[in-house]
Amino acid sequence: MSNKGKRHICKICRRPYFDLGKKIHKCPKCKPKAQSNDKSKKTDKPEDTSLLMELFEVTDASSGKGFSVSSGILKLSFPTIRTGWHAVIGSEIKDKEIKNKDALIYFNEPPLKGLETYLSSVKFKGVGAVTSRGLIADHNVGALKALGGSPESIETELDIKEDLAKSLHGGWSLTPQENIFMVVINELGLLEMQVREITKTLGADVIAALNNNPFSLVKVLPRFNFQDVDRICHRLQIKLTEEQRIVAATDYYLSDAENKLRHTCVPEDNTHQRVGELLQVSANKVHEALTSNKEAFIYKERKNRTVISTIESSRRDEKISKEIKSIIDKHNSIADGLVFDGKNIETSDGIILSDEQIDAINNVVKAPVSVITGGPGSGKTTMVQGLVSALKTLNADARLCAPTGRAAKRISETPGLAELGPSTIHMFLAKERARKNSSEFDFMIIDEASMIDVELMVELLEAIPEGTGLIFIGDVDQLPPVGPGQPFKDLIESEMVSVSRLTGNFRQSSFSDTVKAARDVIRGNTPKITSSLAQSDFVFLEVPPNEQADTVLNLYFDLMPAKLKVEPQDIQIISPQRPGNVGVLRLNDLIQYRVTGKTKSIFKKKSGNHEVTFYIGDKVIQRKNNYELKVMNGDQGVITRESGQNLMVEFDGVEIAYDGLQRFDLDLAYATTIHSSQGSEYPGVIIPVVAAHAHMLSRNLIYTAITRGKRQVCLVGELAALKKALAQYQKDFRWTSLTEQLKVEL
C-alpha cells in the first residue's frame, strides 16, 4: 500500500496529490506555503482560511494607489494592475499590501448588480428585490460604502427608515467575512444554485481558480458548463486567445464526456467536431490548435480509431496497468503442480461442483490475476464456496470484498463465506490506511467486480500487498459502473489475464423461468411472456399508461407479498429513471402516502429539483459509506422514531442513530433506480418497462433489473417498450483505453 496517504484531486488545478496521512491538507502546487515543512514558521494559531475579502477601486494605475471601500489605501505590489474595481482575497493582504496577483479579479465597473442580488437574499430579512434595486439606483457605490457602518450611519447615509437600516446592518454583520465575497460571486451573473455550489465547494479559492484556469470550474462544479465560464471570462475581462479557448473547450468536452457519459476517452474526429460546434469554429481549426498543443492531451489507438483523453484519465489507466503488472511480476503461486479434481473440494452446503467450476478454481489458485464471469444461474457463488474450500487446503489467507454494502452483506449470508469477514472495498481501504504497516495475505477476492470504476480500481490496486493474487468475479453483461470507465470488461477484453467463463445453470428449478428470461434478454430475444403470478416466477403484465402506477401499487402491497409470504417492504420496485408516471420519485411518493399516512414530517431535503419529505415508518436507503455508523452505500432500513436530536433507523434489527447532518445521506427506498440496485438481491422485484422511459432502456439495463429478483420478477408496462429495449445493447457502450494500455504494459 502507498505510504503517501490518501489520493486527492485538487479542486483548483485538478492535479492529483497525496495527503501524507494528514487530516488538514492542501495541494502543494496551488498552496506551496501551506505545505511547507519549515518548522520555524509554525505557530499555535491555525491558518486563516476564511472568506474574508477586500473590494477597492484603482483610480490611478500608474501610481499604484487605490481607494478601498472597507479599509483604506492598499499598496499594489505588481505592475499589471489596471484602473477600475478589484476584489482580492483577504488572506493575500498583509500590511495593506497585495501579495499575490492570482488573488485578485477585475471588474470594469463596481459590482452593484452583485450587491443588489446579495441584499435580496434570505440573509437580509425584510429586504427584497424591489428594495435592494431602489437602494442601488438611488445611491450607486454609496450603498456599498455605507453598509459597513452602524445602523445609525446606514440610516443617515442611505436616507432610509430605522427598521430597514437595522435589517441591512444585521445581515451585513451576520457574515462579515463573506459579504464582499458574496457580492463578487453574485456579480458573475450565475444562477442561485451555482452560487451555492461555488461557496460550498471552492469558497474563496474560486478567485485563484478563475485566474489560473477559469475553465477548471466545469470540472469541479457539476452544474457549470463551458458557456457559463465563457460568460464569467467576459464579465471579468479575462482575455484568451482562440487557441487557448480551443484547448480549454477540449478539456471541458473530454471531462464532460467522462462525468456524464462515463467515457474515459473520445475519438479524435468526434472531439474536433463537437468542440468546433461548441466554439462555432471549424473542425479543421480545432485540429490545428490541438496539433500545436499535443502535450495537453493523450492520444491512443482504440478499435482502429485514434482516441483522445485528458492527462489525468491516461494516468489512471497507466496506474492500473502498472499495478497489475507489478502483481503479476511479484506473484508466487502456492499451488504449482497441484490439481483439484472435485474430490478434494467441498462446498458448505454439499453441492457438487461442475467441471467448468473446478477448472475455474484451478486457474484461479495459480494465476496472479484472474477473472471469473457468468450470468444468473451460472454457479458463481457455488464456485466461490469451492474456491474458499480449496484455499483452505492450501493454508492460504484470503480477503473477500464487494463494491457495495448490500453486496457484501449478501456474501456474508452465503454458507462458508462469512468466516472471511466480507466487507465493502471502501471499508477494506479504510482499514488499510489506518494500519501502520500494510497487511499481508495471499488472495483478494472481489465480487460484483463489474461495478468497480477506474477511480476505485486505482485505490484498490494501490492497497493490495505485493505478491497478492487478485480474483475478480462478476457478470460482464451487467450494467457498467456508475462512475467512469469499465475496468472489469477492459480486463476481459485485453486477454492479458486469466479469464474463466461459467455457463452452467445450478439454481433451483423454481428459478428457471427468471434465469431463462434473463438469458433471452441479454441475447436480444423476447422472453416467454406469462401474465399469471401463480404460474411463473417471471411475469410480464401489459398495462396501458393510465393504469401502470395502480398496477405497480397492487403488486407491491397485495399480490406479490401474498404469493411470496413476505411483507411489502421486502419487495423492491426498480425503475429505469427517477421522473415520470412510474418513475422512482412518483412511486416513492405514492407508496409513502399509503405506508406513513404523511401524518407528521421528520425532515426534508432537496434531491435535485425535487423535495423529499421523510416520515416515521419510511423505508430508506443509505447513499454514502459511513464507517462511523457502520452503514454502507446501498444499505436499506426503516425509520423507527426520533430520539432527542437524533433520527433512529433500523437496519436488519439494529437501530442506528443519525444526527442532523447524517440523515441527509438517506433517501426513500420503496422504489430505486436500476443502477442503485446493482449488487443487491430481493425476494421479489417489480420493473416498470414503459414507452416514456424509452430513451433510457437497453437490454443490459433490463437484464440487470431481472437478475435482482430471487423468487419473483414482474415487469409492468408495454411490450413494445420491452422489444425496443432488447434492440438497444450499445446504449451503454463506453470509450475507454485501458484495454490498449494493458496490452502495452503486460
Side-chain angles (χ1 to χ4, degrees):
M1 184 182 70
S2 171
N3 59 1
K4 298 180 181 179
K6 188 177 180 180
R7 182 175 178 270
H8 302 269
I9 302 294
C10 178
K11 294 177 179 179
I12 298 175
C13 68
R14 302 301 297 168
R15 295 185 178 95
Y17 71 96
F18 293 88
D19 60 22
L20 305 178
K22 298 179 179 179
K23 292 183 178 180
I24 301 176
H25 53 85
K26 292 184 178 180
C27 172
K29 298 290 185 182
C30 296
K31 298 287 185 180
K33 294 180 181 179
Q35 300 279 355
S36 173
N37 292 320
D38 187 353
K39 295 182 180 181
S40 64
K41 296 183 179 180
K42 288 186 177 181
T43 64
D44 295 332
K45 185 179 179 180
E47 181 185 354
D48 181 16
T49 58
S50 70
L51 300 178
L52 179 63
M53 300 184 73
E54 303 279 354
L55 180 66
F56 60 94
E57 181 186 16
V58 176
T59 56
D60 185 357
S62 62
S63 67
K65 293 182 178 181
F67 172 76
S68 171
V69 171
S70 57
S71 57
I73 302 298
L74 292 172
K75 300 176 186 177
L76 308 175
S77 59
F78 45 94
T80 57
I81 194 69
R82 291 182 284 176
T83 300
W85 285 82
H86 299 68
V88 63
I89 299 176
S91 60
E92 300 292 346
I93 301 174
K94 186 177 181 181
D95 299 325
K96 303 299 180 184
E97 185 174 353
I98 302 173
K99 295 297 185 181
N100 181 8
K101 67 181 178 69
D102 287 341
L104 183 146
I105 59 175
Y106 169 80
F107 296 97
N108 56 6
E109 57 186 24
L112 298 180
K113 185 64 179 177
L115 178 63
E116 178 187 318
T117 304
Y118 182 47
L119 293 181
S120 312
S121 69
V122 295
K123 291 182 179 175
F124 296 87
K125 296 181 180 180
V127 185
V130 175
T131 301
S132 62
R133 193 179 305 121
L135 288 172
I136 303 302
D138 293 342
H139 301 281
N140 201 270
V141 178
L144 181 61
K145 296 178 182 178
L147 287 170
S150 65
E152 294 76 17
S153 66
I154 294 175
E155 181 183 353
T156 301
E157 292 185 35
L158 300 184
D159 191 23
I160 57 177
K161 293 181 179 180
E162 181 182 353
D163 289 346
L164 179 57
K166 288 182 178 179
S167 295
L168 290 170
H169 177 266
W172 198 261
S173 59
L174 279 174
T175 55
Q177 297 180 334
E178 297 181 357
N179 289 321
I180 301 301
F181 174 77
M182 293 303 298
V183 169
V184 169
I185 294 302
N186 278 290
E187 182 66 19
L188 300 179
L190 305 172
L191 299 173
E192 182 183 353
M193 188 178 296
Q194 293 175 317
V195 172
R196 288 203 303 266
E197 285 182 344
I198 281 182
T199 54
K200 179 183 177 181
T201 308
L202 289 178
D205 285 342
V206 71
I207 306 303
L210 287 170
N211 281 287
N212 294 327
N213 177 13
F215 293 98
S216 65
L217 292 183
V218 299
K219 292 186 175 182
V220 182
L221 305 169
R223 292 177 179 84
F224 271 68
N225 57 41
F226 189 83
Q227 291 84 354
D228 292 326
V229 181
D230 232 4
R231 286 193 293 270
I232 291 174
C233 289
H234 179 74
R235 186 72 64 96
L236 298 180
Q237 307 291 301
I238 298 174
K239 304 292 185 182
L240 297 175
T241 66
E242 184 177 64
E243 190 170 287
Q244 287 175 318
R245 294 189 74 249
I246 288 174
V247 172
T250 302
D251 192 51
Y252 161 70
Y253 171 66
L254 295 176
S255 300
D256 197 53
E258 178 169 306
N259 294 332
K260 294 181 179 178
L261 303 176
R262 312 308 189 204
H263 302 307
T264 59
C265 61
V266 180
E268 184 183 26
D269 51 349
N270 288 8
T271 302
H272 295 163
Q273 182 180 346
R274 296 298 299 274
V275 172
E277 292 171 355
L278 183 65
L279 299 178
Q280 296 185 330
V281 301
S282 69
N284 287 335
K285 183 74 71 174
V286 176
H287 174 71
E288 291 171 5
L290 296 185
T291 300
S292 301
N293 292 271
K294 279 283 188 181
E295 71 284 352
F297 306 101
I298 304 298
Y299 298 82
K300 295 179 182 177
E301 295 299 315
R302 170 76 164 124
K303 294 185 181 295
N304 299 317
R305 295 177 74 177
T306 300
V307 296
I308 179 173
S309 64
T310 63
I311 292 174
E312 175 58 24
S313 178
S314 182
R315 285 173 178 169
R316 289 195 307 253
D317 288 351
E318 291 175 5
K319 184 66 176 176
I320 291 171
S321 57
K322 285 181 179 179
E323 291 288 347
I324 288 178
K325 184 178 186 300
S326 177
I327 291 171
I328 293 173
D329 290 344
K330 298 177 181 180
H331 178 72
N332 293 317
S333 176
I334 59 175
D336 285 340
L338 181 64
V339 178
F340 292 98
D341 57 9
K343 296 179 181 178
N344 46 2
I345 302 178
E346 296 181 356
T347 63
S348 305
D349 45 11
I351 296 177
I352 300 175
L353 298 175
S354 69
D355 290 342
E356 67 176 8
Q357 290 173 317
I358 293 172
D359 289 342
I361 292 172
N362 279 300
N363 291 335
V364 162
V365 298
K366 295 171 184 173
V369 180
S370 55
V371 173
I372 298 166
T373 182
S378 62
K380 293 192 300 294
T381 301
T382 304
M383 193 282 307
V384 174
Q385 291 176 300
L387 171 62
V388 172
S389 174
L391 294 177
K392 283 183 181 179
T393 67
L394 298 173
N395 294 318
D397 187 15
R399 300 287 186 274
L400 183 54
C401 291
T404 67
R406 287 191 66 86
K409 181 185 176 185
R410 177 172 52 79
I411 297 169
S412 67
E413 295 171 347
T414 302
L417 303 185
E419 60 191 77
L420 295 185
S423 73
T424 65
I425 295 174
H426 291 92
M427 186 169 288
F428 165 76
L429 294 173
K431 289 180 179 179
E432 288 300 298
R433 293 185 188 113
R435 297 177 185 272
K436 292 184 179 180
N437 300 307
S438 299
S439 59
E440 294 185 2
F441 48 92
D442 300 300
F443 287 94
M444 166 64 81
I445 306 170
I446 303 103
D447 198 19
E448 298 287 354
S450 64
M451 299 176 64
I452 301 175
D453 63 22
V454 286
E455 291 279 5
L456 185 56
M457 181 65 84
V458 169
E459 291 190 64
L460 176 64
L461 293 176
E462 288 179 338
I464 299 296
E466 293 183 352
T468 299
L470 268 175
I471 306 167
F472 296 101
I473 302 170
D475 184 352
V476 73
D477 292 320
Q478 295 275 5
L479 290 174
V482 175
Q486 47 185 26
F488 182 73
K489 186 175 183 179
D490 288 342
L491 276 171
I492 295 173
E493 289 187 353
S494 74
E495 300 180 343
M496 304 304 292
V497 300
S498 173
V499 177
S500 300
R501 300 179 185 272
L502 302 180
T503 61
N505 186 350
F506 300 95
R507 288 192 174 182
Q508 307 173 38
S509 59
S510 60
F511 285 74
S512 59
D513 291 341
T514 297
V515 172
K516 175 70 163 56
R519 293 180 174 182
D520 283 339
V521 164
I522 202 60
R523 294 173 184 142
N525 301 324
T526 303
K528 180 182 178 182
I529 301 300
T530 304
S531 59
S532 171
L533 270 72
Q535 296 179 7
S536 176
D537 57 69
F538 178 81
V539 172
F540 188 101
L541 302 180
E542 188 158 19
V543 182
N546 63 331
E547 299 178 13
Q548 289 164 359
D550 289 338
T551 301
V552 170
L553 295 184
N554 189 30
L555 284 165
Y556 181 84
F557 283 107
D558 300 314
L559 299 181
M560 290 183 70
K563 178 185 177 182
L564 301 177
K565 295 181 172 53
V566 298
E567 296 297 320
Q569 68 180 35
D570 296 318
I571 307 300
Q572 188 61 53
I573 301 170
I574 307 175
S575 185
Q577 65 179 34
R578 291 171 60 81
N581 182 49
V582 284
V584 169
L585 297 177
R586 184 167 187 262
L587 290 175
N588 272 328
D589 194 56
L590 292 172
I591 295 173
Q592 183 187 57
Y593 185 82
R594 290 268 300 267
V595 173
T596 68
K598 295 190 174 183
T599 53
K600 181 184 178 182
S601 66
I602 303 173
F603 76 100
K604 300 179 180 180
K605 77 168 197 176
K606 278 282 191 180
S607 181
N609 295 323
H610 184 79
E611 187 175 71
V612 182
T613 305
F614 294 83
Y615 301 86
I616 300 294
D618 268 331
K619 179 182 178 181
V620 292
I621 184 171
Q622 176 74 12
R623 289 302 191 190
K624 294 181 180 178
N625 292 325
N626 189 317
Y627 303 107
E628 179 186 352
L629 300 181
K630 296 182 179 179
V631 288
M632 299 294 112
N633 183 17
D635 286 351
Q636 292 187 2
V638 176
I639 299 176
T640 55
R641 58 192 175 95
E642 289 184 283
S643 178
Q645 299 298 313
N646 292 328
L647 179 69
M648 308 303 294
V649 183
E650 183 179 306
F651 295 90
D652 297 320
V654 179
E655 271 195 332
I656 304 294
Y658 281 71
D659 64 24
L661 290 177
Q662 292 167 336
R663 64 183 63 188
F664 287 95
D665 293 335
L666 297 171
D667 209 348
L668 294 178
Y670 305 106
T672 64
T673 63
I674 296 175
H675 284 88
S676 296
S677 73
Q678 290 189 90
S680 303
E681 287 185 343
Y682 310 93
V685 298
I686 304 166
I687 309 164
V689 183
V690 301
H693 297 169
H695 67 287
M696 288 286 297
L697 296 176
S698 63
R699 71 174 73 163
N700 42 341
L701 191 82
I702 302 297
Y703 172 82
T704 299
I706 290 174
T707 57
R708 301 307 91 201
K710 295 172 65 177
R711 297 167 56 193
Q712 181 73 59
V713 174
C714 186
L715 278 60
V716 177
E718 299 146 67
L719 186 58
L722 175 62
K723 291 182 177 181
K724 187 173 181 179
L726 299 181
Q728 298 287 338
Y729 182 74
Q730 295 297 327
K731 188 165 283 192
D732 293 299
F733 174 81
R734 296 184 179 184
W735 283 101
T736 64
S737 56
L738 178 58
T739 296
E740 281 65 34
Q741 186 63 47
L742 287 165
K743 291 179 179 180
V744 170
E745 195 71 45
L746 304 181

